[in-house]
Amino acid sequence: MTPSTRRDPYEGFSGRIGRTFAESEPAWSPPRSPGHKAPNIVVVLVDDMGYSDIAPFGSEIATPTLTALAETGVRLSNYHTMPLCSPARAALLTGLNPHRVGYAMVANSDPGFPGYGMEIADDIPTLAELLHDSGYATYAVGKWHLVRDSASNAADDRDNWPLRKGFDQYYGVLEGLTSLFHPHQLVRDNSPLDIDEFPDDYYYTDDITDQAISMVKSLRAHDPDKPFFLYLAHNAVHGPLQAKQEDIARHRGRYDEGWDVLRERRFAAQLADGLLPPGTELPDRNSEAGLDVPAWASLTEEQQKLYARYMEVYAALVDNIDRNLGRLTGTLEALGELDNTVIVFTSDNGGTGEGGAEGTRSYFSRFVHHPALPGDWTPDVDRDPELIGGPRSLVHYPRGWGMASNTPFRLYKGHTYAGGVRVPFVLSWPKGAREGRLAPGLRTQYQYVTDIAPTLLRLAGLERPVTRRGVPLQEPDGVSFAPVLADAAQGSTHSEQYCEMTGNRSFYRDGHKLVTLHRPGTPYDDSEWALYDIRTDPTEIHDLAAERPGLVKELAAAWEEAAWRNGVFPLPDGSGALARRNPAEQRLTRPLTLLPGTPELERYRSSRLVALRSFAISVVIDETGDGVLVSHGDQGGGYSLYVEDGRLRFAYNEYGVLHESDAGPLAQGGHVLRLVAAAERGLRWSFTVEADGEVRATPPSVHQLIGMAPFQGISVGIDRKSPVSWPLFERHRSFRFRGRLRSVTYHPGDPGPDSPEAVAAALREAAAAFE
């Protein structure tokens, strides 16, 4: 007989039950509450911002909101993070080292190992989950990047989307980057939004701030007491760099003197403000091969003018972030909430060098990393200077500005040297300051990104539980630095820490730091290690490895032990495993039919139909008319097939260079149209446009769109959001098809000669022939 699982409905009821209301005594469960007057918590996380980019850390960019928060709060001048975004976010929100959580890398890979799982397990609660369990309202806006790109579509189970990780509401972009004028896929709560066009004055940073303010206002309208946790994760200042014209205008001419002068001025401001110990030296310009920066004076006048414009756009992004933070703090003040709100402002990692030595006006072309890139590949496009920073240009600055961003530290995002991992950190809490829980001022103690979650729990008066919903929880790695906030004389609460990112490694212990700059594909051995005493040499200039081999050996062994304990292995090598994907994704290369009215196909799902392969698109129309038949991509690269003035046309945006072909008139009535792309050696496509079996156009071959392009997904019957062809957009906006469209079918073909599959097959054949 099956045991009964029926529960007594009165079990645990603290009142009294009789046959009638008159014979009974009611009782109510107490509401969940973290305690009387628990503080609100706002975490503002900026993307790719270097150590010196805000005024409280030496910048010339006016950031009055952050300056005010720093003056009444605490600056951590020795705060460290991970060198890349997804790992840093996983560590911040869980308090665990990122490899343990499964984020050894950004959430755009799937090589099939535990450290790269890209899923937060049930026994690793997020800060949002723990605060929510205690009675907090929890909101997230902006960049998420803790769900793998292949799981960012509307068919996913959403287990790693924000609402399944403790947030009541979410609005933003699940992926790591987007256009700030035309976000490629906005998500509200658990649903991608189906958007055709954005208003001409739309700007993403303003939008997510509006959404955050709305969430807070709504909460206070419904509940006067409930504390909230707001995670405001900006996509800015990540590339592509795009800013509003009025913001750019405020910074015109500011960077004409170049990055060398800017770096020296910021360093002087940092020394004067006590951010660095006396005697700290400014390193020479980064000179490592492939990471080097030329002297500003060595550039041509034309280069200087262009490069200065890039930095004006970047400064405008920082400026805009501060202004939007001012709108948020102004709302909190108007609601009487600012006094009892803990506000944290920091960056996920240091400033980047991914723009290359010259920068680019073609972000996705510069972003491509493929061993078979042909000699005629152009990582830049020509653009009217007035378009730089606007919706028609996807720019990134030269790495010289990334070096200046990271002043006074060496190297960039992705590296375990200080330029990749030391970032600004400001924490404000006026009520806590009055009550002695926060002593305003500067802190030089070493603290780590995993310390944020336990610190915020402590400030909220909460303890991290041992179990949650019957599941034993993994222990955290971070340690609260609440004692450091309260007393500047307290020692650091975080004495040692390993780090690893794409083979770059480091180990910190009590002021000494062991670090490597690993060259991809080279052996991992002890000759890579450099040793620095960052108490006296925070800019990592004087390598002590030859003088102290015993300490090098000790810390290298400690790194090895920590790596095994945290799931760091296997390390990346020259095998190409990071490009590997789950074999189950092969189903995504089957033919796919899209019907009119289908919401835009998500970026990654769309890419599986065309990336590094031949493909064909069949378009069946029952009655012709003007409008877009199918589009895939945006101003950074894409293609579209459309009818205008009764003529069939094909547009191909080659990373910002527009090619258009006229395929002739299309008579009234029904038609079967085909766009055929043949993948050729040299990462090229040759296109053919057909109508009812007749070849209508054979435009010259073009570079394939690979890497992150096309960034916007496939739409049928319309060109949504950022257009493939800007001239067509100016004439017709999103240009919805006015005839009768029956279907659009993608037929993925064989992988091209430069695809990973083809290269692997050729190697297998060569090995078999050799044997």
Side-chain angles (χ1 to χ4, degrees), residues 17 127 338 358 405 434 457 496 530 561 588 656 659 747 771:
I17 301 296
L127 176 62
L338 185 60
E358 305 86 15
S405 174
R434 287 201 318 276
L457 285 174
E496 63 180 60
E561 180 185 351
L588 302 181
H659 308 272
H747 305 274
E771 291 171 359

Side-chain angles (χ1 to χ4, degrees), residues 448-531:
Y448 195 63
V449 61
T450 53
D451 301 336
I452 291 178
T455 300
L456 294 176
L457 285 174
R458 179 69 61 85
L459 297 184
L462 302 173
E463 294 292 331
R464 190 178 190 272
V466 177
T467 63
R468 181 174 184 264
R469 299 179 180 175
V471 177
L473 301 182
Q474 291 198 43
E475 64 183 23
D477 296 298
V479 183
S480 168
F481 54 81
V484 173
L485 297 175
D487 183 359
Q490 284 284 338
S492 165
T493 63
H494 202 115
S495 60
E496 63 180 60
Q497 181 64 46
Y498 86 93
C499 188
E500 185 276 333
M501 177 54 54
T502 60
N504 292 312
R505 297 166 288 158
S506 72
F507 194 87
Y508 169 86
R509 177 181 286 170
D510 295 331
H512 284 96
K513 179 181 174 183
L514 197 66
V515 62
T516 70
L517 176 60
H518 181 72
R519 292 295 176 181
T522 60
Y524 293 96
D525 57 47
D526 286 350
S527 66
E528 287 191 308
W529 292 118
L531 177 67

Side-chain angles (χ1 to χ4, degrees), residues 382-399:
D382 192 16
R383 274 287 182 273
D384 183 331
E386 292 306 308
L387 297 180
I388 291 176
R392 295 180 61 183
S393 65
L394 279 72
V395 306
H396 215 315
Y397 59 33
R399 57 177 173 249

Side-chain angles (χ1 to χ4, degrees), residues 296-314:
W296 183 262
S298 72
L299 304 176
T300 66
E301 183 178 346
E302 183 179 5
Q303 286 175 317
Q304 290 180 350
K305 186 175 181 180
L306 174 62
Y307 295 178
R309 172 69 171 182
Y310 289 147
M311 187 59 187
E312 291 168 8
V313 176
Y314 183 85

